[in-house]
Amino acid sequence: MTANKTAPTPVDPHEFIAAVPHPTRRADAELLMEMMEVASGQPATMWGPTIVGFGTYHYKYESGREGDAVAIGFSPRSANLALYGLTIAPTAPALLAKLGKHKRGAGCLYVNKLADVDVEILAQLARDGYRHMMDAVHVQPQG
């Protein structure tokens, strides 16, 4: 059994975001932290060195791999904002069509800056993604 390599850390997410060098990326990260806290009802927690996460769930695959993972979250990377858990809800495809300039990866949504997207649509993606993850795995949120 192999656990998830990315795990919660004691690092303060506010301090992590305050140290983001690019002013626009830092301001976007501050807004995302507030948005995702509201969407999930969970406090921000650092996962690994660069992911700000909200809520957790436990997963177990048939292969035996299991662990805990972040329900929704983001990472303010130098090239873009990587957003996690926002593309999984059944409502996501219709919302993504209205979001604005973005790219999708394997389970991730990439946005250059929040000014490129409809922030209300992004907030709905966060709410729906969190709710879907909690419902899909039949867990109670772990704070």
Side-chain angles (χ1 to χ4, degrees):
M1 165 176 58
T2 305
N4 189 349
K5 292 179 184 176
T6 304
T9 73
V11 174
D12 181 339
H14 294 91
E15 289 178 12
F16 167 72
I17 289 173
V20 171
H22 192 279
T24 300
R25 187 87 63 239
R26 184 172 54 251
D28 285 353
E30 289 169 352
L31 196 150
L32 281 170
M33 185 159 60
E34 182 179 330
M35 174 194 298
M36 290 188 176
E37 281 182 344
V38 170
S40 68
Q42 299 295 312
T45 302
M46 289 302 301
W47 282 71
T50 61
I51 296 173
V52 181
F54 304 84
T56 63
Y57 68 94
H58 188 79
Y59 63 87
K60 185 172 185 177
Y61 298 121
E62 289 182 19
S63 66
R65 179 185 167 116
E66 68 178 297
D68 295 314
V70 64
I72 61 171
F74 69 92
S75 180
R77 298 177 175 178
S78 58
N80 54 35
L81 298 163
L83 305 150
Y84 306 99
L86 276 59
T87 62
I88 58 173
T91 55
L95 290 169
L96 288 167
K98 298 186 275 186
L99 179 61
K101 185 178 175 185
H102 70 279
K103 293 181 182 176
R104 289 195 51 192
C108 295
L109 177 65
Y110 299 102
V111 173
N112 288 334
K113 57 188 178 296
L114 293 184
D116 292 342
V117 299
D118 183 324
V119 177
E120 290 303 316
I121 298 287
L122 192 62
Q124 188 65 51
L125 283 163
R127 286 189 296 272
D128 292 357
Y130 181 79
R131 195 173 311 116
H132 177 76
M133 187 51 67
M134 293 298 103
D135 291 345
V137 295
H138 305 290
V139 296
Q140 294 299 313
Q142 299 172 7

